[in-house]
């Protein structure tokens, strides 16, 4: 299977899967720049939930797609929002400029992580209409479709998960 460009790494997965935490640690370990997709969206349109509330989920997805299509360069770890897989254009672009890793976390662990973090579930496309479990069921096949590499993550120290990711992508 074509692995995409190893010049960059993209981490995809559900909210609570560890994209930002592991992305920062992975970038530090490799000497890469960490790029948070949600931060790019915030810089383009404000708080994620504000965009959804004010302009709707369709507009949010358009802004997210534009942000992801603007990514490029070398030596970067990208952490797009969990809804990135709803745009085939964005995902095909990310697959062409990076190795895409799906951080596969069991649903029960996601719920535990999100409640432990005290995260208010906001800014998640489809959440209001479908609920978290249905969003998970809808997105998981898309994460699997677009990933070059699937890494099943268990609850272990960040350093161990970073080493697991590196073992899956480095020759």
């Amino acid at each position: 299977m074509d692995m995409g460009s190893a010049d960059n790494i993209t981490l995809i997965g559900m909210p609570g899967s560890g994209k930002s935490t592991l992305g920062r640690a992975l970038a530090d370990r490799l000497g890469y720049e960490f790029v948070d997709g949600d931060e790019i969206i915030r810089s383009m349109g404000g708080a994620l939930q504000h965009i959804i509330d004010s302009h709707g989920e369709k507009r949010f997805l358009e802004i997210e797609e534009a942000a992801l299509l603007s990514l490029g360069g070398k030596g970067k770890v990208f952490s797009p929002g969990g809804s990135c897989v709803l745009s085939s254009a964005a995902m095909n672009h990310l697959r062409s400029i990076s190795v895409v890793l799906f951080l596969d976390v069991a649903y029960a662990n996601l719920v535990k992580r999100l409640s432990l973090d005290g995260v208010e579930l906001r800014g998640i496309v489809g959440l209001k209409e479908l609920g978290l479990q249905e969003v998970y069921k809808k997105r998981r096949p898309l994460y699997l479709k677009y990933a070059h590499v699937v890494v099943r993550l268990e609850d272990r120290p960040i350093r161990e998960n970073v080493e697991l990711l590196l073992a899956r992508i480095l020759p």
Side-chain angles (χ1 to χ4, degrees), residues 34-141:
F34 177 72
V35 179
D36 186 327
D38 287 347
E39 289 298 322
I40 295 170
I41 293 169
R42 280 192 272 280
S43 73
M44 293 171 76
L48 307 185
Q49 190 63 47
H50 171 75
I51 296 169
I52 292 171
D53 291 343
S54 301
H55 306 288
E57 290 184 348
K58 183 176 185 289
R59 180 65 185 135
F60 174 86
L61 292 172
E62 291 168 357
I63 293 169
E64 180 178 51
E65 181 180 82
L68 297 176
L69 289 172
S70 76
L71 297 177
K74 292 185 177 187
K76 297 179 182 173
V77 175
F78 302 119
S79 173
S83 56
C84 65
V85 292
L86 301 177
S87 167
S88 59
M91 288 311 304
N92 288 330
H93 174 67
L94 290 170
R95 283 177 55 85
S96 74
I97 64 166
S98 65
V99 175
V100 177
L101 278 74
F102 169 33
L103 305 183
D104 191 13
V105 176
Y107 179 75
N109 284 345
L110 288 175
V111 171
K112 187 169 63 172
R113 287 179 182 189
L114 290 171
S115 62
L116 283 176
D117 288 346
V119 173
E120 187 177 351
L121 294 178
R122 295 173 58 78
I124 299 175
V125 171
L127 185 65
K128 210 178 271 186
E129 176 191 340
L130 301 172
L132 188 62
Q133 189 163 14
E134 288 303 313
V135 168
Y136 175 82
K137 286 180 183 175
K138 180 180 175 185
R139 290 184 185 177
R140 191 167 187 281

